[in-house]
Amino acid sequence: MKNLLLLGDSIRVGYCNFVKEMLADEVNVFFPPENCRFAQYTLRELERWTAELPPIDVVHWNNGLWDSAHLSISGIADDGEAAGVTVKPAHIIADYRYDEEPLTPPDMYKYMLKRIIIRLKQLCPEAEIVFGTTTPVIEEEATNIYRSNAEVDLYNDIAREVMKDYNIRVNELGEYAKTLGKEYRRDWVHYNDKGCKMLAGEIVNYLKNEKLI
């Protein structure tokens, strides 16, 4: 049986067990027990997450949701990260202000994706790598962290460019997730079990259609 490694943020945490169930008796599915968070965190922890795994045949990986996030400083307007500049999107009703810069600025995101690819190729030299694009949010319901779908789209474009440079497949999971209504949502970012099963099914179908598993 082939060995599949799933890497990603809390969206991956939501769907990984469903992927494992769907592929039971067909593929060995592995994933870190924790949230892979942002790109730099993923890079730092990859060796630990892969240290005791058998040789991996396929990696399905994502970073972007954390990277495109703007951290909140609540009602304090002059204590932001970096230059201290904060923003308050007009459609956010709650009393939140956010750092003007995302957690991982676009240029750094591009750089970190390249670093992760190189690291994955070192740690999983036989693996086919697939990048899953970042899923959308219901941005007007943002609370202690802000994300905009315009920036999610921007970060997905950056990822597509990087993956093209390295001849890495892209699973348009984010585009698929745009078809899922609020009945599939647990909150403004995450999916309920029904939604997670849909995402898992899309991943399984993609990997099978690409003849990777």
Side-chain angles (χ1 to χ4, degrees):
M1 295 201 325
K2 289 193 172 182
N3 297 317
L4 167 65
L5 175 61
L6 302 175
L7 298 170
D9 49 45
S10 55
I11 305 303
R12 188 275 303 168
V13 173
Y15 64 63
C16 57
N17 281 307
F18 292 115
V19 172
K20 188 170 185 175
E21 289 175 10
M22 291 175 185
L23 292 175
D25 302 322
E26 294 182 67
V27 178
N28 297 314
V29 181
F30 302 94
F31 42 82
E34 63 187 289
N35 188 324
C36 298
R37 305 183 189 183
F38 46 94
Q40 193 168 23
Y41 186 84
T42 294
L43 178 67
R44 173 63 183 85
E45 299 299 329
L46 268 177
E47 185 174 16
R48 179 169 64 86
W49 293 334
T50 58
E52 298 182 5
L53 297 182
I56 296 298
D57 298 293
V58 183
V59 177
H60 189 284
W61 150 58
N62 170 262
N63 285 116
L65 202 55
W66 281 60
D67 299 277
S68 59
H70 296 254
L71 305 179
S72 167
I73 55 167
S74 300
I76 303 171
D78 60 354
D79 192 27
E81 183 265 341
V85 179
T86 62
V87 294
K88 179 173 174 47
H91 54 283
I92 301 298
I93 298 173
D95 185 22
Y96 285 103
R97 298 189 71 89
Y98 306 94
D99 289 336
E100 184 178 46
E101 297 239 11
L103 181 64
T104 308
D107 287 347
M108 181 60 72
Y109 180 65
K110 182 176 183 179
Y111 171 74
M112 294 309 302
L113 292 181
K114 293 179 180 180
R115 291 284 305 275
I116 292 169
I117 292 168
I118 292 168
R119 192 73 165 147
L120 280 171
K121 288 179 178 291
Q122 291 173 325
L123 296 170
C124 306
E126 302 303 317
E128 291 281 352
I129 302 171
V130 176
F131 185 85
T133 54
T134 298
T135 53
V137 298
I138 306 173
E139 58 188 84
E140 63 272 17
E141 296 181 10
T143 53
N144 63 318
I145 288 178
Y146 177 70
R147 300 172 176 94
S148 74
N149 285 316
E151 281 186 306
V152 169
D153 288 343
L154 169 64
Y155 279 57
N156 281 335
D157 284 342
I158 292 169
R160 292 183 188 103
E161 177 186 340
V162 173
M163 301 309 142
K164 183 178 180 181
D165 289 343
Y166 284 86
N167 294 313
I168 288 175
R169 293 175 174 86
V170 175
N171 178 8
E172 294 289 353
L173 195 64
E175 293 302 307
Y176 172 75
K178 289 179 181 179
T179 69
L180 301 179
K182 280 194 172 184
E183 67 271 24
Y184 294 97
R185 292 277 189 171
R186 174 162 59 86
D187 56 38
W188 72 286
V189 174
H190 303 98
Y191 296 83
N192 55 28
D193 282 354
K194 184 179 176 182
C196 289
K197 286 179 182 177
M198 296 294 286
L199 295 176
E202 182 69 8
I203 291 168
V204 169
N205 288 338
Y206 178 88
L207 296 177
K208 288 188 173 183
N209 288 339
E210 291 290 310
K211 299 186 178 359
L212 294 174
I213 57 173

